[in-house]
Amino acid sequence: MLSGHPSVAQAAVVVREDQKGDQRLVAYIEPDPDAAVADTDAQLAQWRHLFDDHYAQALDEPFGEDFQHFTTLDDGEPIGVDQLRQWQDAAAADLARLAPRKILEIGVGSGLLLSKLAGEAEEYWGTDLSATAIDRLRTHVEQAGYGERVTLRAQPAHDLSGLPKGTFDTVVLHSVVQYFPSAEYLEQVLTGLLPLLAPGGRLVLGDVRNAETLRILATAQAQAAQPYASHEEIRSAVEQALLAQRELALAPQWFAQWAARHQLAADIRLKAGQAHNALTRHRYEVVLHTEPADVLDVSSAPALVWGRDVTDLAAIGEHTARTERPLRITGIPNARLAEESAAALFAGVHHSEPPTGRPLDPHDVTALARSHGKHAVLTWSGEAPHSFDAVLLPGPRSVSGAFVPSTVAGRIRHNTPALAQAIGPLVAALPDHLRARLPDYMVPAAVVPLSQLPLNPAGKIDRGALPAEHTSTVSSGEPRNSHEEKLCAFFSDLLKLERVGINDDFFALGGHSLLATRLSARIRKAFGADMPLRTIIQYPTVAELAALLLIGSIPGDHADSFGVVLPLNRDPGTGKPPVWFVHGGGGLGWAYFTFAPHVPDRASYALQSRGSNGHDPMAGSVQEMVEDYLAQILKVQPQGPYHLVGWSYGGPIVHALAAALDALGHEVGLVAILDTQPATGTADNGFKQVAGRTQDLYRADIEEVFGKFMNTGNMDDFLDTMSKVGANNLQKMGDFVSPVYRGDVLYFNATLDKTDGQSSYGPEWRPYILGSYEEYDVDATHHDLHMPKPAGQIMKVVARKLAAV
C-alpha cells in the first residue's frame, strides 16, 4: 500500500522491538524524487530574501572581499579567509587563462570574480537575483573606475531579457548553481544561455557541488556533530541530512550527458588548490565549449590503471617525463577524501569498493607534472567518487573527454532540493492514506523517510540494515522557556519546518551559512546579544543557544538562572533519579546545558554559588557550601540513589557531597569528577596556589572567555558579580581538605593541555577514595570540557553507568 502511493518510490515495513516487550510496526519509505515538484518562484523568492539580508549586512566589506557567503561547512569549522582568497585567486586565474574579452556572469553577487577580471575585459555584464547586491556592487564598480565597461542588472538566472545575443565569449556561473531549485531549472538556464554566446564561446560553471560525494560529506558532518555516535546513529543522521538538503548537487555525469545532447565539448575538472576543505573535496569545475576547434579530445587516450600499472607518485613522474601524447591514469585514490570516504564505508553509509593503493593528493600530481614541464588534467573517476583520473599532457590545453562517465546503471545524477519541503507533509499524510485502505492494527506506529533504502548484494531491500527510527520532521524536545520557544520559532521559520525541537541540529535539518547569518541577525534583534556564525556552528541546537543567551539576557525572564538550584531540562516524568552537576570556580552552572541533553530520560540540575544573583551573601567556607548544597539536594530528591558530576572546582564539591550523603546513610549511585585535583589545603595544591587571585584578574579571565561568543560591553554588573563570587570560591577552596569517600569514582582527564609533565591529576584522588576508581581520557583542554564534543564523550560514559545503576 505504501509503495502504491504516488510520492513513494520504495517501502519496507518491519516489526521492531527497540524496548523489550514493545513490538511495533515501523515503515521505511524512499520518497520518489520525481514526485517532489519544485515551486521555482517560491524557492527563488526565499533565496532572494536570504541574499538581500546577507548583502545588506555586509555593506562595509571591501570590493571583492566579501567571503561571508562562502563560509561553507564541512567538519563544523568555517573555512579560513586565507583559503578563501586562494580559492578566489584560483578561480580568477582559471578564467583568465581562457583570455575572455566579453564576459557575462550569472549570479555576480559581491563581485568576487568581477573585481579580478573586469580590468582586462572589454565588456563585463553581471546579473544577480538580489537587487541589494546589484546596487551595492554598482557603487563599488563606479568607485573602481569600471563603470563604462561593466553593466549590471537585477534579474534571476532564467530571465535573460535585455542581454545581447551572440555577444559573449564567456558566460560564467560561479558558485551559484547550488542555489538553483532543481536540475530542470539548471537545464532551462543553460539552454537559454547558448544563444547569447559568440561563435566558439563557452559556458563556465564553477564550484559545482558533487552529488556523488553527498553521502561522504554528510557522514563527515554527522561525525563532527556526534563524534561518539554509533554507526547506526551516523546512518540515521546522514539520512536526515540528505533528505533535508536544500542545495542542488549534480554528478559530473550529468554535465557530460547534457553536453553530448547539445553537441558541446565538456571539460570537467577537480578543484585546484592545496587546501583540503569543503570546497576542494566536494566541488568541481565545468567548461562547456561550443564549436571546439581548439579543444583536445582525450576520451580515447591510452589508460594505465592505478594499483596495477602504476603504484606511486614516482611512477607517475616517469610517465610524465615521457609524455608526448595524452596518457590517462585511472582510479587514483583521492587523498582529499580518503579519511571521509573510509569513515563512510566503515559506518555503512557508502557501499562502493574501497580504493586500492596509497591515496595521492591531486595537488601533488599537478605539481609533479609542472616540475617536468608538462600538464595534468585532473577529473573525477567515473567509477568511484573517492578516486580521480589524471590525464597527462605535453602542455596546458582545453580538453574534452577527460571525465569518462560510468556505464553502471542507477548512479545518482543529481539530488532533489524540493524533497526538503515535501518530506514533512508526505510523512504526515501516509498514516491517513493507510487507514483509508487497511485495518488500524496494520497502520505502522512510525513512518521513517530514507533518502535510499539499503540494498543487499542481490539488489533486495536489506531489512537488517534499516536504521533506528528517526525523522527529520519530528521534533526532539519541547521548549522549556520563552527563550527556547523563540529560538524554535526562528529555526522553524528559517528552515521551513512545521516544528523544531530544542535538541535538533540546525545544520542537520538543512541549515547553511546564509541561514545561520539570518539566525544570528534575528537573535541579535530579539535578545540584544551577539551570536556570530562561529558560535552557531559550535552550538547548533536551540538548547545550547538558549543556554548561551542566558548570559546575554540578564536579568530578562530568567531571574532564577542565578538560583542555587538551576533546572537544566524539564523532568521527563520517568521517575528516574536526577543528575546533579556542581558549578565551577565562577559559581554558575550554565556550562552544563551541553551535558544535560545526553541524559534525556531524567531530570538534571546544576548547583550554583550563593551570591551569583548579586544580592545574597557569599559562602563563608567550602564546608558551608557542601552543607547548603546537601540541603538543597535532599529538598528536591529525598531518596537516593544520588548521581553527582563536578567539573574543575566542582570536583572536590561533589566528592565531599558524596561523602556527606554516604555518612547520612544515603545511597550514592555515581560520582564523576572532571579534570581536577582534590583539595589538600597544602601549599603545593593547585587550589591553594590560585586562592589569592584577585577579583580584577578573575574578571579579565572570564571576560576573555565570554568575549569569544558575544559582546561583553553591556555586561559590567554581571562580570563584576561573577568575579567576586569566583575570587571568593577560590579563596575558600584553598583552605579546604577533601574527606575520604568510601564509594566509587569516575574520573575524566582532559588530555590536550597537560604541559607540566603530569599526564593526569586523577591518581592524586586515590588516597581519598576507598572504592573503585575508573579513569577516562577526553580529547579536549580543561576549559573546553563543556563544548559539545567532549561533553558528549563524557556523558556517553555517564549515561552507560546510569543505565547499569
Side-chain angles (χ1 to χ4, degrees):
M1 286 295 178
L2 284 169
S3 297
H5 191 281
S7 295
V8 176
Q10 293 190 85
V13 181
V14 300
V15 176
R16 293 199 73 103
E17 189 175 7
D18 295 325
Q19 295 185 4
K20 191 173 174 104
D22 180 18
Q23 290 190 332
R24 44 202 252 127
L25 285 178
V26 177
Y28 295 85
I29 65 159
E30 181 181 322
D32 185 353
D34 294 335
V37 179
D39 185 340
T40 298
D41 291 340
Q43 291 191 41
L44 291 178
Q46 290 176 17
W47 284 117
R48 181 186 294 111
H49 190 45
L50 278 170
F51 288 123
D52 283 345
D53 277 3
H54 165 77
Y55 291 119
Q57 294 176 33
L59 290 175
D60 295 333
E61 296 294 331
F63 181 31
E65 295 192 21
D66 178 10
F67 294 110
Q68 296 182 58
H69 168 58
F70 296 93
T71 310
T72 52
L73 306 174
D74 179 14
D75 57 359
E77 297 295 330
I79 297 174
V81 172
D82 56 337
Q83 293 185 19
L84 288 168
R85 286 202 173 96
Q86 292 174 19
W87 160 87
Q88 178 190 24
D89 292 340
D94 286 343
L95 284 166
R97 278 192 287 271
L98 298 172
R101 307 307 302 162
K102 295 184 178 181
I103 304 170
L104 166 63
E105 184 177 0
I106 305 295
V108 67
S110 63
L112 288 175
L113 292 182
L114 184 153
S115 65
K116 299 284 187 179
L117 300 172
E120 300 298 324
E122 294 175 12
E123 295 181 40
Y124 200 118
W125 291 59
T127 70
D128 201 274
L129 182 66
S130 169
T132 303
I134 291 297
D135 290 343
R136 172 197 181 204
L137 184 56
R138 188 173 284 122
T139 300
H140 283 159
V141 165
E142 292 291 341
Q143 292 173 346
Y146 298 149
E148 292 186 1
R149 70 182 75 180
V150 174
T151 302
L152 300 172
R153 303 172 64 90
Q155 56 198 61
H158 69 273
D159 181 1
L160 305 179
S161 60
L163 301 178
K165 293 185 177 181
T167 299
F168 303 104
D169 54 58
T170 306
V171 175
V172 181
L173 298 89
H174 196 271
S175 206
V176 294
V177 168
Q178 64 264 35
Y179 305 120
F180 285 4
S182 65
E184 292 73 22
Y185 181 85
L186 171 61
E187 185 161 7
Q188 173 192 348
V189 171
L190 294 181
T191 303
L193 288 171
L194 289 176
L196 303 185
L197 290 172
R202 70 205 48 103
L203 301 174
V204 180
L205 297 97
D207 264 7
V208 181
R209 297 192 65 188
N210 192 348
E212 288 216 295
T213 68
L214 279 179
R215 286 185 166 270
I216 297 173
L217 172 60
T219 303
Q221 292 171 328
Q223 291 189 322
Q226 307 173 56
Y228 307 105
S230 67
H231 289 169
E232 185 174 56
E233 290 169 335
I234 291 297
R235 289 196 296 271
S236 293
V238 168
E239 293 300 329
Q240 291 185 59
L242 293 175
L243 288 170
Q245 180 58 250
R246 293 165 184 260
E247 294 187 3
L248 179 64
L250 303 112
Q253 189 145 336
W254 188 93
F255 287 99
Q257 293 174 334
W258 189 87
R261 290 200 306 271
H262 292 81
Q263 298 181 325
L264 304 177
D267 188 349
I268 300 171
R269 305 195 188 193
L270 300 183
K271 294 286 293 185
Q274 194 167 7
H276 289 196
N277 56 40
L279 296 175
T280 59
R281 288 184 181 119
H282 300 283
R283 303 196 183 197
Y284 60 99
E285 313 289 314
V286 180
V287 182
L288 303 172
H289 296 274
T290 63
E291 302 179 17
D294 60 342
V295 176
L296 178 64
D297 183 359
V298 297
S299 58
S300 59
L304 302 175
V305 178
W306 180 264
R308 185 189 70 189
D309 306 316
V310 182
T311 57
D312 56 24
L313 192 62
I316 293 180
E318 293 173 7
H319 287 288
T320 302
R322 299 195 300 265
T323 294
E324 297 302 330
R325 292 188 298 175
L327 174 67
R328 180 189 302 273
I329 300 175
T330 67
I332 305 170
N334 189 341
R336 293 173 177 172
L337 287 170
E339 185 176 339
E340 291 183 357
S341 62
L345 288 167
F346 191 55
V349 173
H350 207 273
H351 300 289
S352 61
E353 289 294 321
T356 301
R358 181 185 175 195
L360 288 188
D361 190 318
H363 181 77
D364 291 343
V365 178
T366 300
L368 178 71
R370 189 180 298 120
S371 70
H372 289 281
K374 304 297 174 62
H375 184 68
V377 173
L378 308 182
T379 188
W380 295 98
S381 164
E383 301 303 320
H386 48 57
S387 299
F388 68 98
D389 290 0
V391 180
L392 305 174
L393 303 174
R397 289 286 300 273
S398 292
V399 303
S400 67
F403 173 77
V404 178
S406 170
T407 57
V408 177
R411 296 282 289 271
I412 186 173
R413 298 295 185 269
H414 60 81
N415 69 337
T416 305
L419 273 177
Q421 290 183 300
I423 193 66
L426 173 61
V427 170
L430 285 176
D432 288 338
H433 170 79
L434 293 179
R435 287 189 190 97
R437 295 162 176 79
L438 296 172
D440 284 346
Y441 69 86
M442 293 184 70
V443 177
V447 177
V448 180
L450 301 177
S451 67
Q452 191 178 73
L453 292 184
L455 303 178
N456 60 27
K460 304 291 186 182
I461 294 174
D462 186 352
R463 294 172 179 267
L466 292 169
E469 294 174 37
H470 75 275
T471 168
S472 60
T473 59
V474 176
S475 65
S476 58
E478 297 297 325
R480 302 163 294 190
N481 51 56
S482 61
H483 282 52
E484 290 181 344
E485 286 176 356
K486 288 180 182 177
L487 288 172
C488 281
F490 291 166
F491 275 41
S492 296
D493 183 45
L494 291 171
L495 299 169
K496 304 303 178 186
L497 295 175
E498 183 178 347
R499 287 192 307 157
V500 171
I502 62 173
N503 298 319
D504 286 330
D505 186 300
F506 183 79
F507 299 103
L509 293 180
H512 47 72
S513 57
L514 281 175
L515 286 175
T517 301
R518 290 191 66 195
L519 176 61
S520 175
R522 291 195 181 189
I523 290 173
R524 188 184 307 112
K525 183 176 180 181
F527 298 101
D530 287 337
M531 196 68 69
L533 177 61
R534 65 178 181 273
T535 304
I536 296 173
I537 291 170
Q538 290 177 313
Y539 299 94
T541 69
V542 166
E544 292 167 331
L545 291 175
L548 288 179
L549 284 170
L550 288 171
I551 303 170
S553 58
I554 297 166
D557 54 21
H558 279 280
D560 63 340
S561 61
F562 301 101
V564 178
V565 177
L566 173 67
L568 299 174
N569 60 3
R570 188 172 61 180
D571 190 338
T574 61
K576 295 181 179 181
V579 179
W580 293 90
F581 297 88
V582 176
H583 63 83
L588 295 174
W590 300 346
Y592 293 117
F593 276 103
T594 55
F595 289 69
H598 295 277
V599 282
D601 59 337
R602 63 189 73 225
S604 297
Y605 301 94
L607 293 167
Q608 306 190 116
S609 290
R610 295 281 182 185
S612 294
N613 59 6
H615 306 296
D616 295 343
M618 295 180 290
S621 66
V622 171
Q623 187 59 40
E624 183 180 316
M625 288 185 212
V626 172
E627 293 171 359
D628 182 13
Y629 300 161
L630 181 62
Q632 297 295 328
I633 291 173
L634 294 174
K635 185 187 300 183
V636 175
Q637 182 192 351
Q639 301 295 327
Y642 296 94
H643 309 308
L644 309 169
V645 180
W647 171 25
S648 191
Y649 187 92
I653 302 291
V654 299
H655 175 264
L657 280 170
L661 286 164
D662 179 61
L664 292 173
H666 292 291
E667 179 186 358
V668 179
L670 179 142
V671 177
I673 297 174
L674 278 52
D675 201 57
T676 191
Q677 300 168 282
T680 65
T682 58
D684 60 347
N685 183 248
F687 291 110
K688 192 72 171 180
Q689 292 171 8
V690 298
R693 194 160 179 80
T694 66
Q695 179 182 329
D696 289 342
L697 289 174
Y698 199 90
R699 188 189 195 283
D701 290 343
I702 60 175
E703 188 168 0
E704 179 182 357
V705 171
F706 288 131
K708 295 177 181 177
F709 302 104
M710 60 199 63
N711 181 6
T712 58
N714 58 352
M715 296 168 57
D716 284 342
D717 291 343
F718 164 73
L719 294 173
D720 285 343
T721 299
M722 192 173 179
S723 302
K724 292 176 184 176
V725 172
N728 179 72
N729 282 345
L730 292 176
Q731 180 185 356
K732 303 308 179 189
M733 187 61 79
D735 298 326
F736 183 65
V737 177
S738 292
V740 175
Y741 169 51
R742 298 190 306 167
D744 305 332
V745 166
L746 305 176
Y747 184 82
F748 294 87
N749 175 46
T751 62
L752 299 187
D753 56 357
K754 297 296 187 294
T755 59
D756 57 358
Q758 186 167 16
S759 61
S760 172
Y761 302 127
E764 296 181 21
W765 282 97
R766 209 61 190 94
Y768 303 90
I769 301 167
L770 297 182
S772 66
Y773 169 87
E774 298 178 30
E775 181 167 330
Y776 298 85
D777 284 344
V778 183
D779 300 325
T781 65
H782 175 84
H783 292 293
D784 285 343
L785 287 178
H786 68 298
M787 300 294 275
K789 290 182 183 179
Q793 185 178 2
I794 293 165
M795 293 306 294
K796 185 174 184 179
V797 176
V798 170
R800 186 176 71 244
K801 294 291 185 180
L802 290 176
V805 173

